C-alpha cells in the first residue's frame, strides 16, 4: 500500500522495530508540499499493534482524501506522537479485548477480571487534559452520516466513563 502512495507522498523509513526474530520498518508518510508556516495534522494508527483497522484507515485516508488538504496543512501519518495542532490517533476495541486482552491484563496486574462490553460502533475518547467537546461533537455528527455511533451502556457509560454530548 505504501508503495502505491510513493508517487504522491514522501514515504520514509524512520526506524525499525525488532520483535523476536522479526524486524519491521517504521514508516512515516508526509505531504509533499510541507511548509513551515502551515499547522501540522498528525494521524497515527497502530500504536497498539493488534488494532489493525487504524493502520488501514490511515492509509486509506491518505490515498483518498489527503489531496483535499494540500496547501492548508502539513499532513504526517505515522505510528508516532509529536507536537501537532491536531492529532487523530486511531484505535479500535477488538472482540478479543474481552476474551484475551482484558483477562490477560487483569491476570498481569493480579486483579479480578470484570467483564465489560465491546462498544458496537464508532466512539471518540477526548483528551482529559485538553477537552474539546465541540470538536468531538462535530466529529460524531460527521461520522454518523456514514456509520453508526456506539450507544452508551445501561449505566450511560463507555469503558466506565460517562458518555458526553459528543461521546
Ligand atoms: Zn488502542
Amino acid at each position: 500500500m505504501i508503495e502505491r502512495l510513493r508517487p504522491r507522498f514522501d514515504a520514509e523509513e524512520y526506524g525499525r522495530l525488532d520483535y523476536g526474530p522479526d524486524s519491521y520498518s517504521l514508516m512515516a508518510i508526509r505531504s509533499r508540499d510541507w511548509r513551515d508556516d502551515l499547522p501540522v495534522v498528525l494521524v497515527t494508527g497502530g500504536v497498539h499493534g493488534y488494532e489493525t483497522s487504524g493502520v488501514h484507515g490511515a492509509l486509506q485516508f491518505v490515498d483518498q482524501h489527503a489531496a483535499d488538504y494540500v496547501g492548508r496543512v502539513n499532513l504526517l501519518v505515522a505510528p508516532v506522537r509529536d507536537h501537532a495542532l491536531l492529532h487523530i490517533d486511531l484505535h479500535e476495541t477488538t472482540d478479543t479485548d474481552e476474551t484475551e486482552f482484558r483477562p490477560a491484563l487483569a491476570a498481569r496486574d493480579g486483579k479480578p477480571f470484570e467483564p465489560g462490553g465491546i462498544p458496537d460502533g464508532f466512539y471518540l475518547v477526548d483528551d482529559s487534559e485538553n477537552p474539546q467537546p465541540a470538536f468531538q461533537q462535530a466529529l460524531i455528527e460527521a461520522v454518523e452520516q456514514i456509520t453508526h455511533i456506539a450507544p452508551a451502556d445501561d449505566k450511560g457509560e463507555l469503558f466506565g466513563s460517562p458518555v458526553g454530548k459528543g461521546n
Side-chain angles (χ1 to χ4, degrees):
M1 179 68 180
I2 285 179
E3 290 311 312
R4 249 184 61 196
L5 297 170
R6 276 189 197 278
R8 291 179 288 149
F9 301 93
D10 290 331
E12 60 184 292
E13 181 181 290
Y14 68 90
R16 294 200 68 85
L17 181 67
D18 293 319
Y19 189 79
D22 302 317
S23 182
Y24 300 93
S25 339
L26 293 169
M27 301 294 297
I29 298 171
R30 283 174 19 136
S31 46
R32 278 241 155 104
D33 55 327
W34 197 275
R35 285 175 20 206
D36 288 340
D37 59 319
L38 293 177
V40 172
V41 169
L42 174 65
V43 177
T44 55
V47 168
H48 297 147
Y50 72 112
E51 298 171 12
T52 55
S53 66
V55 177
H56 290 288
L59 290 171
Q60 186 176 328
F61 169 75
V62 169
D63 188 34
Q64 298 179 4
H65 301 289
D68 301 345
Y69 301 96
V70 167
R72 295 161 63 195
V73 299
N74 297 315
L75 181 64
L76 177 63
V77 177
V80 298
R81 292 175 186 274
D82 205 343
H83 182 74
L85 170 70
L86 173 63
H87 177 186
I88 302 279
D89 189 25
L90 304 171
H91 290 256
E92 71 181 292
T93 307
T94 66
D95 290 342
T96 57
D97 275 34
E98 188 68 5
T99 56
E100 295 175 30
F101 177 71
R102 289 180 192 153
L105 189 67
R108 185 200 69 183
D109 296 343
K111 294 178 179 165
F113 169 62
E114 291 171 17
I118 303 293
D120 178 22
F122 179 85
Y123 61 90
L124 294 169
V125 179
D126 204 350
D127 183 346
S128 59
E129 292 175 10
N130 181 19
Q132 301 289 337
F135 176 69
Q136 303 274 326
Q137 183 62 30
L139 273 178
I140 289 287
E141 286 170 10
V143 171
E144 71 187 357
Q145 307 300 315
I146 51 171
T147 193
H148 63 286
I149 306 301
D153 64 18
D154 51 15
K155 290 187 226 152
E157 298 178 337
L158 281 175
F159 307 116
S161 296
V163 173
K165 218 180 147 219
N167 279 23

